[in-house]
Each structure stands twice: as structure tokens, then as C-alpha cells.
Amino acid sequence: MSVDVVCVASWNVDLIAHIPQPLERGQTQMAQGFERLPGGKGSNAAIAAARQGAQVGLIARIGGDDFGQMGLDLWAREGIDSQHVVRGAGETNGTALILVYADGDNSIAVYPGAGAGLNASHVQAASDLLAHARVVMASCEVPVAATQTAFETARTHGVLTLLNPAPAMPLPDALWPLVDVLTPNEGELLMLADATDIDTAAHQLLQRGVGAVVVTLGERGCALFLPDTAPLRVPGHAMQVVDTIGAGDTFTGTLAAALARQTPWPEALRWANAAAALSTQAHGAVTAMPTAEQVRTFLPSTPAAPVGGGRH
Ligand code: RIB
């Protein structure tokens, strides 16, 4: 079977408590709500791409417990190929403990569980799937050796690679030239480049070999940096936010689906901005992730002005 987008994915069950404001050290607050919902940056992005109409396959390692089974059931409902998902018998699934504040912002602690055992051999077992995809994506929630192996295979076969560097962490020098598209938020970009403004930081990462840097800026939209090209800034959408969990993953997955369709950069970014904005309209990462039809209805019909550059 061939797919458009392969995601080297994390899968977490999100345990979400709603509290008024960030906890102080040692403080207890009574939560005003609690939810147990699907999460994991990789699974979230995969679902976002699938809802945009892409054929999506996962490479993942999940728990042998009920949370692991929840993932398999979810991907079946979303039409996502999970033949390269392996289960760690007797191992705990990934879990994210999330606090959402009254203003919609959040804090997240992720325990990767069985996902920490995803390694190069799991990725090599899926080399045929990778070789025939259009886009291979990953985040920093999966072990970097798995991502590196997947991106090496993708590069060998001319498949576009996309990394969401979240949560931000130091990455090996050898990984950067394998990344065609990087989608950090502003904080992640500044941390990865050790810079204080996004233009300097993006150019540092381009110099390390990244093909394109797309920095997400919340309701300010996003900015695209390509080598030797003026940055393209694409406006976002002011929304009444319910919560922002998974908005960055929605952006990444929607962009992956658009790039898999060879959508030009301005339109792909406009589409990803809109999907991310819509995803903030309900609790949890995937609840409000839109379909392509919902994005089409939301966006005004005027296409963004075309710009040059880009690898695709
Ligand atoms: O990006 C949001 C995601 O981060 C949550 O779904 C949580 O599982 C963590 O991985």
C-alpha cells in the first residue's frame, strides 16, 4: 500500500485539567473540568493531514495497555494506515498531563512510555512505505534516531521531509541537512538557533542545511524563510480561543497534506493557518481539527499572492 504522508509518530492519551491560571510551585488548585482525549504531536499531525484528504500511514510504538488500543481504534476511524504501529507488550502507553488555563493557554508534561522504544529497526521495517510517500514527517516527541533513519530513507527516494521540532531540544548536526521543511513556533525557533529574533534564527537554521523554515506565530499567522528569498509572511486569524492544544500539530499536518498535493507555498501556508485557527475552537487536540471542506468554507476565496522559491 502507498500513502501520501508518513508520520513517524508519538501517540499519547491527554489527561486534561482546566484550572484558572498557571500553578505556582507547591500549589494545589481545584480543576473546573477534566477530559481524557487523543493526543501526541505525531498522531495529532497525522489526523490533521488525514482530515485534509491525504492518505496517511504511521510508524509508531505504543503501549500494550488500553491507551494503546485507543490509538488503534482512533486511527481506524480516521482512515489512517497503522500496519507499521508496533505494541510494547506489558508497556505503558505515552501519556500527557495537561493544564489548560482560563485564557486558553496550557502547560504539558509528556511521559512517552512505549514510544521511547521506537528505533531505527522499526523505521527500516517500513522502508517501502517511506520510499513511496510524498511527505515524511516527525516531531521531537519520537527518538531522534528513528526520525533520522526515516529522513535518510526519504532523502534517498526524493521524498519531502518535514520536522516539527517540538518540544524543542538540541538536535544532531547530521539531522539538519535532511530536513526539507521545519515548522517551529517562535519560542522553539529562538531556542534551536540561540538567537533573539526570528529572522536571525531562521537564517541560522537555513545555514545548517534546512531547506525551508516556517515559523508559526499564533494568531499573527506564520512566516516562511527560504534561502536567498525575502521572507513570506502569511497573516493568521483572530479567534475566540477555547484551547490551543494541538494547534501547532494541526498546522504541521495540514501543511504536510498540502505539500503532498504540491500546493504552492502561499496557498499551503494560508490553508495551514486556517486549519490551526479552527482547531482552537473546541477542547482537546483533535476535536475541532477541520476537514478540507471546513477550511474552504472558513477562508475567503481570494488566493494569497504567489511568490517564488521553494523546493517543491
Ligand atoms: O501538541 C499537543 C500535544 O503535545 C498534546 O496532544 C500532548 O499529547 C503533547 O504531545
Side-chain angles (χ1 to χ4, degrees):
M1 175 178 183
S2 80
V3 298
D4 304 314
V5 177
V6 175
C7 187
V8 184
S10 55
W11 156 244
N12 301 328
V13 172
D14 290 352
L15 305 179
I16 307 168
H18 295 260
I19 59 173
Q21 70 238 349
L23 287 173
E24 288 171 25
R25 195 181 176 94
Q27 186 193 20
T28 301
Q29 286 179 32
M30 298 300 285
Q32 289 145 346
F34 173 78
E35 287 144 335
R36 193 184 75 169
L37 291 170
K41 294 182 191 304
S43 175
N44 293 344
I47 291 169
R51 290 194 185 170
Q52 293 300 312
Q55 294 292 320
V56 180
L58 292 181
I59 301 171
R61 192 165 186 278
I62 64 173
D65 52 7
D66 290 349
F67 282 5
Q69 187 60 46
M70 275 173 64
L72 294 173
D73 295 344
L74 171 71
W75 301 322
R77 288 197 300 277
E78 297 286 345
I80 292 173
D81 175 7
S82 59
Q83 65 174 311
H84 291 287
V85 174
V86 293
R87 297 189 78 174
E91 291 184 48
T92 308
N93 197 77
T95 307
L97 303 178
I98 304 183
L99 297 174
V100 178
Y101 314 122
D103 64 1
D105 208 356
N106 62 62
S107 301
I108 304 179
V110 176
Y111 173 65
L118 187 72
N119 61 36
S121 69
H122 297 115
V123 175
Q124 283 154 359
S127 56
D128 199 47
L129 190 76
L130 290 162
H132 293 96
R134 291 177 176 273
V135 175
V136 173
M137 65 177 171
S139 78
C140 292
E141 269 185 359
V142 291
V144 69
T147 299
Q148 180 134 358
T149 304
F151 283 11
E152 282 165 357
T153 305
R155 180 57 57 84
T156 302
H157 295 278
V159 177
L160 190 88
T161 61
L162 191 162
L163 179 67
N164 177 15
M169 59 183 65
L171 292 168
D173 292 345
L175 186 66
W176 297 115
L178 295 172
V179 177
D180 291 319
V181 182
L182 189 76
T183 58
N185 65 24
E186 193 170 359
E188 290 155 357
L189 175 62
L190 298 180
M191 184 257 170
L192 287 168
D194 195 17
T196 53
D197 69 276
I198 65 169
D199 288 60
T200 306
H203 284 104
Q204 277 185 27
L205 294 173
L206 293 175
Q207 277 164 8
R208 288 183 206 168
V210 172
V213 177
V214 179
V215 55
T216 58
L217 301 165
E219 71 173 32
R220 289 179 289 137
C222 64
L224 167 68
F225 295 84
L226 296 165
D228 307 319
T229 308
L232 171 69
R233 293 175 201 274
V234 182
H237 305 272
M239 309 292 284
Q240 289 282 354
V241 169
V242 176
D243 84 42
T244 59
I245 300 170
D249 309 329
T250 305
F251 183 97
T252 294
T254 304
L255 183 63
L259 296 179
R261 289 193 301 271
Q262 300 196 303
T263 307
W265 273 119
E267 191 61 12
L269 296 174
R270 201 169 78 102
W271 207 261
N273 271 345
L278 288 169
S279 77
T280 66
Q281 299 302 287
H283 291 302
V286 308
T287 315
M289 268 179 191
T291 62
E293 192 50 41
Q294 287 169 323
V295 173
R296 193 171 292 116
T297 304
F298 174 71
L299 278 172
S301 54
T302 330
V307 293
R311 285 192 188 180
H312 65 283

